[in-house]
Amino acid sequence: MVIVMERGADAAQVRTVIEEIERAGFRAFVNPGVERKVIALLGAMDVQKAQLADHFAALPGVERVSRISEPYKLVARASQPEGTRIQIGRVCIGGPALTIIAGPCSAEDREQALEIAQIVKYAGANMLRGGAFKPRTSPYSFQGLGEKGLEILAQAKEETGLPLVTEVMEVDEVELVAKYADMLQIGARNMQNFRLLQRVGGIDMPVLLKRGPGCRVRDLLMAAEYIMVEGNHQIALCERGITTFEDSTRYTLDISAIPVIKRHSHLPVIIDPSHCAGEWRYVNPLAMAGVAAGADGLLVEVHPDPASALSDGPQALKPERFRALVADVARLANVLGRTLSSPKET
Amino acid sequence: MVIVMERGADAAQVRTVIEEIERAGFRAFVNPGVERKVIALLGAMDVQKAQLADHFAALPGVERVSRISEPYKLVARASQPEGTRIQIGRVCIGGPALTIIAGPCSAEDREQALEIAQIVKYAGANMLRGGAFKPRTSPYSFQGLGEKGLEILAQAKEETGLPLVTEVMEVDEVELVAKYADMLQIGARNMQNFRLLQRVGGIDMPVLLKRGPGCRVRDLLMAAEYIMVEGNHQIALCERGITTFEDSTRYTLDISAIPVIKRHSHLPVIIDPSHCAGEWRYVNPLAMAGVAAGADGLLVEVHPDPASALSDGPQALKPERFRALVADVARLANVLGRTLSSPKET
Amino acid sequence: MVIVMERGADAAQVRTVIEEIERAGFRAFVNPGVERKVIALLGAMDVQKAQLADHFAALPGVERVSRISEPYKLVARASQPEGTRIQIGRVCIGGPALTIIAGPCSAEDREQALEIAQIVKYAGANMLRGGAFKPRTSPYSFQGLGEKGLEILAQAKEETGLPLVTEVMEVDEVELVAKYADMLQIGARNMQNFRLLQRVGGIDMPVLLKRGPGCRVRDLLMAAEYIMVEGNHQIALCERGITTFEDSTRYTLDISAIPVIKRHSHLPVIIDPSHCAGEWRYVNPLAMAGVAAGADGLLVEVHPDPASALSDGPQALKPERFRALVADVARLANVLGRTLSSPKET
Amino acid sequence: MVIVMERGADAAQVRTVIEEIERAGFRAFVNPGVERKVIALLGAMDVQKAQLADHFAALPGVERVSRISEPYKLVARASQPEGTRIQIGRVCIGGPALTIIAGPCSAEDREQALEIAQIVKYAGANMLRGGAFKPRTSPYSFQGLGEKGLEILAQAKEETGLPLVTEVMEVDEVELVAKYADMLQIGARNMQNFRLLQRVGGIDMPVLLKRGPGCRVRDLLMAAEYIMVEGNHQIALCERGITTFEDSTRYTLDISAIPVIKRHSHLPVIIDPSHCAGEWRYVNPLAMAGVAAGADGLLVEVHPDPASALSDGPQALKPERFRALVADVARLANVLGRTLSSPKET
């Protein structure tokens, strides 16, 4: 931590900062600058003490505090340099094989869900997605089928053998959703619902944590830290687009987030090209870009009849387009030294 | 709703759109354009049917759908043209009097909370703020005192007579927090925690709904609609800064949100200059700007010793600076035809 | 400057950084951290040497470089703590009096320009604005009358006695525009047209430098530094909105930029509420907010018949609305200890 | 064009809008809505008339105007559905072969420039980049060698046979730069320097137009339209990152811009992964993502000794890393049905 004093800071203010540094158990080193003093805080800093930054920043005469260490620990690459792998049945997220998670935006009825599940399985998906509890911007939109939807999805999972990832929106519903799911999704709007993070941190089931559209990569890592601190280390991060001024797509896919996360963390990264695109026609190029940039998998919405979908139809791929995408990704994976091990082959 | 077809859309695709429009109970009018067809959907559109936009957008040959009506109803200015007023004891949010809500970021201990409450009361605040449950970006940061904090804040409220607004983070805690509070705050990170919105929509207590830093004004209004749909119409909206590329302040206060909300909705608007600034020195000018732009009140953090604050010290105003701010705002209110009725005067 | 080494940086890499620091004439101090080394660069740093940051950042084993000093010098508050005042005839930008610059978006014909000039003068404006060379997003839009427009504006200036600010778009046109104008405007899209900045830096005429919508405050200050380095110190900065995800206004007025600039620089700040609003109905609240936050003046578009304006009609104020705005600002100025000295009173 | 009236608009206001529509040569159709009137403007709309939107928006009682047609014509995909190909010597930008443009950020001295040119040629680049006139944020940074730099770059081009792209910053310098270059670069900060666009529109040399970091794709297309209107149709667009709140990379590469541009325009797209990354370590994944998403080429900075580079060293690839990148891109191109025809092979 480096503490930059204001230009006009006086000797007493500098002295106070030094005393506070020493009171916190560190040593202080004052940079002999002429225009303004810079005080380095020396000694090992753990994540608890990193929270002292605000304390120093609020001392009189301090202009700003510059942190050196990352504010997270468990999610940091250094804590597990070889990278996390999450095993879910025969699927392994984070290894050389890419994970293709596909399915409808929401489970609408039994027939639809079972049909799509078979479609994505035979197209090459290795996990099934689908929502039973849907967070929707409008209270007048379809909100999902609730537990009924979970039952349908569980049947689809049984019939196909594909592990299921589905969203949980509420602390109280974690137990219920976990009865049916193989992986719990925390939606983008709940990325900083800290109670929910803590709750899924306390159970033994993998978590797919989606990035909030207004949140920095750093905040996404801190949200994952909330889960890990509670004991659950099976987390995959999902980039699904951020809010920017560009309005030709619904969100702007932050493709750089993939190498940035890979550098700073050991957690696997999944790309959701459907939600950021908002239109099916951009899903293929964004999915390809994500894999080429190093993503460990894709989360894709598929629907046999997008116009009749009860949510997010315009971004859903028709079955034939999804099959083409899987074929494209398979060729790409090959070039990148990765594979696309579909369960039907095993 | 206006449906713009792709350039190459054929007659069958146009026919399908028309049939779908009619199936939904509307009339279709096809614009005789030469380059591309534009189909207007005629007839009264309610908020439920506005959800059909995605359906039309996903039909083959459709380029995009342009909505004409707002997707909300209860929050719309038209549904209550004279503007909502929320009465909380002697305080009225939304009338000619400005509401100054002030207090510590979080209740840290009894003595501190009572001291600050007295300070802000005598400086001219008419409501007390303070957190017992604190949503923090880092799991290693101080998370609030929980119910103990609520008890302390309730005592501060009792001793000063100032109504209390405090945050609720969880569906399960709504009842608990409501026992102590006079107004429930939904924090920025929970603005789209729809379950929490529905829960506070079901109780009879005013709500302060903070805008998520990555959310559009339109999304904030939809979040308020979630609460109103459940029956609770006592909502004040709070602008507290959005995420942008500018990094000289923590968030960018979207000052335009004030007149934009006033135009489209009847709900009162409160400005939080502390969180967007991130530094005490910008709080006064941002507060003044907010009031000048038409805000109905301010939410300000005050701390007698910011460097010892357990959260957000750098943005807290010292008592003398808060007193100066209230004096400035009082003069400004006078010019704007508004008042600043402090409880001590009544 | 503080140089943070990567976790795995070896002794040789640290040694190289130290040698490079010493070769540049500074002393190095290595922070005895356990996880990663941090090397402080000690000694007085001027703006030329601040450019060395990239050099150090590119050395092997360096993770990042954190600058302590600002990268600008002449625009810095420290170089002229009392604040710059620009005298243009009887108008003084930057003193206690607010400057109201008003007029049409562009000069369309003689009659229109003269009419608006009289209107804004009698409403209380103390400077005249108007474009002869118009930068337009579309090549098919009206591009201004060119020199003919300058002649018309010069006549309007003569008849009213109001000094004229008008935009110059091109290095080659600086001389021409300067023949007619009293202050040269650099438009938002040219904020980083460095050749143009250098050219207006070489003449003796005040400059109104508008912030680019995608540029940080820091970049705006660096653009002003470009002008000052060439000798021209008469610069007023203009905030006119930045690009963000919020689309209810054309741009998001960065109201915080006012106190941020005031803290870091001595240059006066003008607010343009017309361009960021994009709609006349938001101009008044944004103008009031700007003045309340500490701006030194306003730049407002006025048109007697907005629907017939050849550019930006929707954001132009009608004469009666402009008169109401001036009256509101005058009352506000009074409260803030400022004045609004219209030339007609002197 | 669709004109949405305010809720309270009266019959006279509706009538005026209809008259204005007819005066402009169109027919009006009034949507029989109950809450608010919507007036469709019927008839073929050309780009000149599209500029009428502001006129209608400023009429009394109008809430907003929604455009149906794109505001550009020459850059639109429809005007050349098969896609533009730009032939520069043996290089063809926009065809099946990917174009790899590489070189130093700026020409620093003869020896360096010639060395890098040979390195990039033998690594597989098919065009040479390098700056002689450098737009720099700080006036204290290295500004390029000017004409001397052009001479050096011309020699590098001669020795390698690689066509040269280099930036032109000023209307007056277009002729000079065109003497040495094979393709003129318009830098991101000059994307809306309309005079410069018009000037390069008037010469017979391909243009590489970089997107401004605060500009929408739509604005980039309009900037290209400025060039095409003057007669020069040989334009490649370059995505190089936009300003967002995410600060882990210098800019956020808008990867979606590639399919969005491909859909709406026939112009080829080049990706610059170096400037958006700001760090060499992110260049490879971003380049791969760009190609996978459908880009027609890459613009990459290479330097044998990044720490001694006079500009942007941290983002420059060392020769061995550039060679690895070209090998990766070649494998990727193969999978995508594209080639990477290096000049050395021909």
Side-chain angles (χ1 to χ4, degrees):
Chain A
M1 205 175 286
V2 173
I3 297 159
V4 181
M5 303 300 291
E6 290 173 3
R7 269 165 199 281
D10 60 30
Q13 290 173 329
V14 171
R15 214 176 313 119
T16 301
V17 171
I18 294 171
E19 285 165 12
E20 290 294 308
I21 287 173
E22 290 170 349
R23 204 158 64 94
F26 298 96
R27 279 182 306 128
F29 180 80
V30 184
N31 171 337
V34 292
E35 288 192 340
R36 62 176 78 206
K37 298 289 181 212
V38 176
I39 307 173
L41 182 151
L42 309 180
M45 170 80 63
D46 60 28
V47 285
Q48 274 80 11
K49 289 201 171 153
Q51 312 307 319
L52 285 168
D54 268 5
H55 169 62
F56 293 116
L59 288 173
V62 172
E63 169 132 344
R64 62 193 157 82
V65 171
S66 204
R67 294 190 197 196
I68 303 299
S69 315
E70 299 92 352
Y72 43 78
K73 179 184 166 192
L74 301 172
V75 299
R77 168 65 67 177
S79 82
Q80 191 172 326
E82 73 284 10
T84 281
R85 295 185 180 199
I86 304 169
Q87 196 71 39
I88 308 174
R90 284 178 303 195
V91 176
C92 176
I93 304 179
L98 295 173
T99 304
I100 310 283
I101 310 170
C105 181
S106 53
E108 296 166 4
D109 60 48
R110 196 172 303 270
E111 203 183 353
Q112 168 251 27
L114 298 181
E115 181 193 353
I116 301 183
Q118 294 293 347
I119 287 169
V120 303
K121 177 183 176 173
Y122 286 101
N126 31 31
M127 276 186 78
L128 181 66
R129 61 148 292 154
F133 298 102
K134 298 298 304 173
R136 303 301 300 279
T137 305
S138 165
Y140 306 112
S141 297
F142 174 63
Q143 308 272 325
L145 297 179
E147 187 164 3
K148 171 79 182 164
L150 291 175
E151 280 166 21
I152 291 173
L153 290 166
Q155 188 183 341
K157 155 189 159 176
E158 200 129 312
E159 293 195 2
T160 56
L162 299 180
L164 171 69
V165 56
T166 192
E167 177 160 358
V168 59
M169 288 174 63
E170 230 297 286
V171 168
D172 268 3
E173 292 163 357
V174 168
E175 211 171 324
L176 174 70
V177 178
K179 271 203 313 193
Y180 296 94
D182 300 294
M183 185 179 209
L184 296 175
Q185 177 177 310
I186 302 292
R189 289 171 186 78
N190 275 322
M191 189 197 95
Q192 292 190 319
N193 180 338
F194 300 117
R195 289 296 159 83
L196 186 57
L197 299 177
Q198 287 168 329
R199 183 70 184 79
V200 301
I203 67 166
D204 180 26
M205 179 171 283
V207 175
L208 182 68
L209 177 64
K210 298 188 95 172
R211 178 181 182 183
C215 298
R216 293 197 177 84
V217 167
R218 192 165 55 240
D219 298 324
L220 173 61
L221 295 179
M222 290 307 282
E225 186 90 0
Y226 257 96
I227 298 172
M228 292 188 80
V229 149
E230 301 296 323
N232 189 347
H233 287 206
Q234 304 171 76
I235 304 167
L237 304 175
C238 180
E239 161 63 31
R240 44 76 75 205
I242 58 174
T243 49
T244 73
F245 63 82
E246 177 56 53
D247 57 6
S248 58
T249 44
R250 205 201 292 158
Y251 295 95
T252 298
L253 182 69
D254 181 10
I255 194 79
S256 318
I258 303 169
V260 168
I261 292 172
K262 289 285 173 190
R263 176 182 182 190
H264 293 294
S265 177
H266 52 81
L267 296 174
V269 183
I270 302 292
I271 291 297
D272 175 349
S274 304
H275 276 87
C276 52
E279 281 192 69
W280 64 264
R281 71 188 85 214
Y282 300 134
V283 171
N284 189 310
L286 295 182
M288 293 292 278
V291 172
D296 298 296
L298 297 171
L299 183 69
V300 182
E301 296 195 359
V302 177
H303 201 287
D305 179 14
S308 74
L310 296 180
S311 56
D312 284 347
Q315 75 202 30
L317 289 188
K318 287 189 177 174
E320 65 268 25
R321 290 202 182 101
F322 177 63
R323 277 190 287 269
L325 172 62
V326 175
D328 286 349
V329 169
R331 276 195 298 275
L332 177 55
N334 193 37
V335 164
L336 301 169
R338 304 192 78 155
T339 64
L340 198 165
S341 61
S342 134
K344 64 176 171 174
E345 303 169 32
T346 55
Chain B
M1 204 175 284
V2 172
I3 297 162
V4 181
M5 303 299 291
E6 291 175 2
R7 267 166 200 278
D10 60 31
Q13 291 173 330
V14 172
R15 214 174 316 119
T16 302
V17 171
I18 294 171
E19 286 163 12
E20 291 293 308
I21 287 173
E22 291 169 351
R23 205 158 63 93
F26 297 96
R27 279 184 305 129
F29 180 80
V30 184
N31 172 337
V34 291
E35 289 192 340
R36 62 176 80 206
K37 299 289 179 212
V38 176
I39 307 172
L41 183 152
L42 309 180
M45 171 78 67
D46 60 26
V47 286
Q48 274 80 11
K49 289 202 172 151
Q51 312 307 318
L52 286 168
D54 269 4
H55 169 61
F56 294 117
L59 287 173
V62 171
E63 169 133 344
R64 62 193 159 81
V65 171
S66 205
R67 295 189 198 199
I68 304 301
S69 317
E70 299 92 352
Y72 42 78
K73 179 184 167 190
L74 301 172
V75 300
R77 168 65 68 178
S79 81
Q80 191 172 324
E82 72 284 11
T84 282
R85 294 186 180 197
I86 304 168
Q87 196 71 39
I88 308 173
R90 284 179 303 196
V91 175
C92 176
I93 304 179
L98 295 172
T99 304
I100 310 283
I101 310 169
C105 180
S106 52
E108 295 166 3
D109 61 47
R110 195 170 305 268
E111 202 182 354
Q112 168 252 27
L114 298 180
E115 181 193 355
I116 301 182
Q118 293 293 347
I119 286 169
V120 303
K121 176 184 177 171
Y122 288 101
N126 31 28
M127 275 185 76
L128 182 65
R129 61 149 290 155
F133 298 102
K134 298 298 302 172
R136 303 300 301 278
T137 305
S138 166
Y140 307 111
S141 297
F142 174 63
Q143 307 273 325
L145 296 179
E147 185 163 5
K148 172 79 183 163
L150 290 175
E151 280 165 21
I152 291 172
L153 290 166
Q155 188 183 344
K157 155 190 161 176
E158 201 130 311
E159 294 195 1
T160 56
L162 298 180
L164 171 68
V165 56
T166 192
E167 177 161 357
V168 59
M169 288 174 64
E170 231 296 286
V171 169
D172 267 4
E173 291 162 0
V174 168
E175 211 173 325
L176 174 70
V177 178
K179 274 204 311 193
Y180 296 95
D182 300 293
M183 184 178 211
L184 296 175
Q185 177 178 308
I186 302 291
R189 288 172 187 76
N190 276 321
M191 188 196 94
Q192 293 189 317
N193 180 337
F194 300 115
R195 291 295 160 84
L196 186 56
L197 299 178
Q198 289 168 327
R199 183 73 183 78
V200 302
I203 67 167
D204 180 27
M205 178 169 284
V207 175
L208 182 67
L209 177 63
K210 299 189 93 172
R211 177 182 184 182
C215 297
R216 293 197 176 85
V217 167
R218 194 167 52 241
D219 298 324
L220 173 61
L221 295 179
M222 289 306 282
E225 186 90 0
Y226 256 98
I227 299 173
M228 291 187 80
V229 150
E230 301 295 323
N232 188 347
H233 288 205
Q234 305 171 74
I235 304 167
L237 304 175
C238 180
E239 161 63 33
R240 43 74 77 204
I242 58 174
T243 48
T244 73
F245 63 82
E246 177 57 53
D247 57 5
S248 59
T249 45
R250 207 203 289 160
Y251 296 95
T252 298
L253 183 69
D254 180 11
I255 195 80
S256 318
I258 303 169
V260 169
I261 293 173
K262 290 285 174 191
R263 175 183 182 191
H264 293 293
S265 177
H266 52 81
L267 296 174
V269 183
I270 302 293
I271 291 298
D272 174 349
S274 304
H275 276 86
C276 53
E279 280 193 70
W280 63 266
R281 71 188 84 213
Y282 300 134
V283 171
N284 189 310
L286 294 183
M288 293 293 277
V291 172
D296 298 296
L298 298 171
L299 183 69
V300 182
E301 295 195 0
V302 178
H303 201 288
D305 179 13
S308 76
L310 296 180
S311 56
D312 284 345
Q315 75 201 31
L317 289 187
K318 287 188 177 177
E320 65 268 26
R321 290 201 181 101
F322 176 64
R323 277 190 287 269
L325 171 62
V326 175
D328 287 348
V329 169
R331 274 194 301 273
L332 176 56
N334 193 38
V335 164
L336 301 170
R338 304 192 78 155
T339 64
L340 197 165
S341 62
S342 138
K344 64 176 171 173
E345 303 169 31
T346 54
Chain C
M1 204 173 289
V2 172
I3 297 160
V4 181
M5 302 300 291
E6 290 173 4
R7 267 165 201 280
D10 61 29
Q13 291 173 328
V14 172
R15 213 175 315 117
T16 301
V17 171
I18 295 172
E19 287 165 11
E20 290 294 307
I21 289 174
E22 290 170 350
R23 204 158 64 93
F26 298 96
R27 277 181 309 127
F29 180 80
V30 183
N31 172 337
V34 291
E35 289 192 340
R36 61 176 80 206
K37 299 288 179 211
V38 176
I39 306 173
L41 182 153
L42 309 179
M45 171 79 64
D46 60 26
V47 284
Q48 274 81 10
K49 288 200 171 154
Q51 311 308 319
L52 285 169
D54 268 4
H55 169 62
F56 293 117
L59 288 172
V62 172
E63 169 132 345
R64 63 195 158 79
V65 171
S66 205
R67 295 190 196 196
I68 303 302
S69 316
E70 299 93 352
Y72 44 77
K73 178 182 167 191
L74 300 172
V75 300
R77 168 66 66 177
S79 82
Q80 191 172 326
E82 73 283 10
T84 282
R85 294 185 181 199
I86 304 168
Q87 197 70 41
I88 308 173
R90 282 176 306 193
V91 176
C92 175
I93 303 179
L98 295 173
T99 305
I100 310 282
I101 310 169
C105 180
S106 52
E108 296 166 4
D109 60 47
R110 195 172 304 270
E111 202 182 353
Q112 167 252 31
L114 299 180
E115 181 193 354
I116 301 182
Q118 294 293 347
I119 287 169
V120 302
K121 175 181 176 173
Y122 286 102
N126 32 32
M127 276 186 77
L128 181 66
R129 60 148 291 153
F133 297 101
K134 298 299 302 174
R136 303 301 300 279
T137 305
S138 166
Y140 306 112
S141 297
F142 174 63
Q143 307 272 326
L145 296 179
E147 186 163 4
K148 172 79 182 162
L150 290 175
E151 280 166 21
I152 291 173
L153 290 166
Q155 188 183 343
K157 155 188 159 176
E158 200 130 313
E159 293 194 2
T160 56
L162 299 181
L164 171 69
V165 56
T166 193
E167 177 161 356
V168 59
M169 287 174 64
E170 231 298 287
V171 169
D172 267 3
E173 292 163 358
V174 168
E175 211 171 327
L176 173 70
V177 179
K179 272 204 313 194
Y180 296 94
D182 300 293
M183 185 178 210
L184 296 175
Q185 178 178 310
I186 302 292
R189 288 172 187 76
N190 276 321
M191 188 197 96
Q192 292 190 317
N193 179 337
F194 300 116
R195 290 296 158 82
L196 186 56
L197 298 178
Q198 287 167 327
R199 183 70 184 79
V200 302
I203 68 167
D204 180 28
M205 178 168 284
V207 175
L208 182 67
L209 177 64
K210 297 188 94 171
R211 178 182 181 183
C215 297
R216 295 199 176 83
V217 166
R218 193 166 54 240
D219 298 324
L220 173 62
L221 295 179
M222 290 307 283
E225 186 90 1
Y226 256 97
I227 299 173
M228 291 188 80
V229 150
E230 301 295 324
N232 188 347
H233 287 207
Q234 303 170 78
I235 304 166
L237 304 175
C238 180
E239 161 62 31
R240 43 77 74 206
I242 59 174
T243 49
T244 73
F245 63 84
E246 177 56 53
D247 57 6
S248 57
T249 44
R250 205 201 293 159
Y251 296 94
T252 298
L253 182 70
D254 180 10
I255 194 80
S256 318
I258 303 168
V260 169
I261 293 172
K262 289 286 173 189
R263 175 183 181 190
H264 294 293
S265 178
H266 52 82
L267 295 174
V269 182
I270 302 292
I271 291 296
D272 175 348
S274 305
H275 276 87
C276 54
E279 281 192 70
W280 64 264
R281 70 188 86 214
Y282 300 135
V283 171
N284 189 310
L286 295 183
M288 293 292 278
V291 171
D296 298 296
L298 297 171
L299 183 69
V300 183
E301 296 194 0
V302 178
H303 200 287
D305 179 13
S308 74
L310 295 181
S311 57
D312 283 346
Q315 74 201 30
L317 289 187
K318 287 187 177 178
E320 65 268 25
R321 290 202 181 101
F322 177 63
R323 277 190 287 270
L325 172 62
V326 176
D328 286 348
V329 169
R331 275 194 300 273
L332 177 55
N334 193 37
V335 164
L336 301 170
R338 305 193 76 153
T339 64
L340 198 166
S341 62
S342 136
K344 65 177 173 175
E345 303 168 32
T346 55
Chain D
M1 206 174 285
V2 172
I3 297 161
V4 181
M5 302 299 292
E6 291 173 3
R7 268 164 200 279
D10 60 30
Q13 291 173 329
V14 172
R15 214 176 313 119
T16 302
V17 171
I18 294 171
E19 286 165 13
E20 291 294 309
I21 287 174
E22 290 169 350
R23 204 159 64 92
F26 297 95
R27 277 183 308 128
F29 179 80
V30 183
N31 172 338
V34 291
E35 289 193 340
R36 61 176 79 206
K37 299 287 180 214
V38 176
I39 307 171
L41 183 151
L42 308 180
M45 170 79 65
D46 62 23
V47 287
Q48 273 81 9
K49 289 201 171 152
Q51 311 308 319
L52 286 169
D54 268 4
H55 169 60
F56 294 115
L59 288 172
V62 172
E63 169 133 344
R64 62 196 158 79
V65 171
S66 205
R67 295 188 197 197
I68 303 299
S69 316
E70 299 93 353
Y72 43 77
K73 179 184 167 190
L74 300 172
V75 300
R77 168 64 67 176
S79 81
Q80 190 172 327
E82 73 283 9
T84 282
R85 295 186 181 199
I86 304 168
Q87 196 70 42
I88 308 172
R90 284 177 303 193
V91 175
C92 175
I93 304 179
L98 295 172
T99 304
I100 310 282
I101 311 169
C105 180
S106 52
E108 297 167 3
D109 61 48
R110 195 172 303 270
E111 201 183 355
Q112 169 253 25
L114 298 181
E115 181 193 354
I116 301 183
Q118 292 294 348
I119 287 169
V120 302
K121 175 182 177 175
Y122 286 102
N126 31 29
M127 276 186 75
L128 182 65
R129 61 147 292 153
F133 297 101
K134 297 300 303 173
R136 303 301 300 277
T137 305
S138 165
Y140 307 112
S141 297
F142 174 64
Q143 308 272 326
L145 296 180
E147 187 164 3
K148 171 79 184 162
L150 290 175
E151 281 165 20
I152 290 173
L153 290 166
Q155 188 183 342
K157 156 189 158 174
E158 200 129 314
E159 294 196 0
T160 57
L162 298 181
L164 171 69
V165 56
T166 192
E167 178 162 356
V168 58
M169 288 174 64
E170 233 295 287
V171 170
D172 269 3
E173 291 163 0
V174 169
E175 210 172 328
L176 174 70
V177 178
K179 274 204 310 194
Y180 296 95
D182 300 292
M183 185 179 209
L184 296 176
Q185 177 177 309
I186 302 291
R189 289 172 186 76
N190 275 322
M191 187 198 94
Q192 292 190 316
N193 180 338
F194 300 116
R195 290 297 159 84
L196 186 57
L197 298 178
Q198 288 167 327
R199 183 72 184 78
V200 302
I203 67 167
D204 180 26
M205 178 169 283
V207 175
L208 182 67
L209 176 63
K210 298 188 94 171
R211 178 182 183 182
C215 298
R216 293 196 178 85
V217 167
R218 194 165 53 240
D219 298 324
L220 173 61
L221 295 179
M222 290 307 283
E225 186 90 1
Y226 257 98
I227 299 174
M228 290 188 80
V229 149
E230 301 295 324
N232 188 346
H233 288 206
Q234 305 170 76
I235 303 167
L237 305 174
C238 180
E239 160 63 32
R240 44 74 77 203
I242 58 174
T243 49
T244 73
F245 62 83
E246 176 57 53
D247 58 4
S248 59
T249 44
R250 207 202 290 159
Y251 296 94
T252 297
L253 182 69
D254 180 10
I255 194 81
S256 318
I258 303 169
V260 169
I261 293 173
K262 289 285 172 189
R263 175 183 182 190
H264 293 293
S265 177
H266 53 81
L267 296 174
V269 182
I270 303 292
I271 291 297
D272 174 349
S274 305
H275 276 86
C276 53
E279 280 192 70
W280 64 265
R281 71 187 86 212
Y282 300 134
V283 170
N284 189 310
L286 295 181
M288 292 292 278
V291 172
D296 298 296
L298 297 171
L299 183 69
V300 182
E301 296 195 357
V302 177
H303 200 287
D305 180 14
S308 75
L310 296 180
S311 56
D312 285 344
Q315 75 201 30
L317 289 187
K318 287 188 177 177
E320 66 269 24
R321 292 202 180 100
F322 177 64
R323 276 189 288 269
L325 172 62
V326 175
D328 286 348
V329 169
R331 273 193 301 273
L332 176 55
N334 193 39
V335 165
L336 301 169
R338 304 193 75 155
T339 64
L340 199 165
S341 62
S342 137
K344 64 176 170 173
E345 302 168 32
T346 53

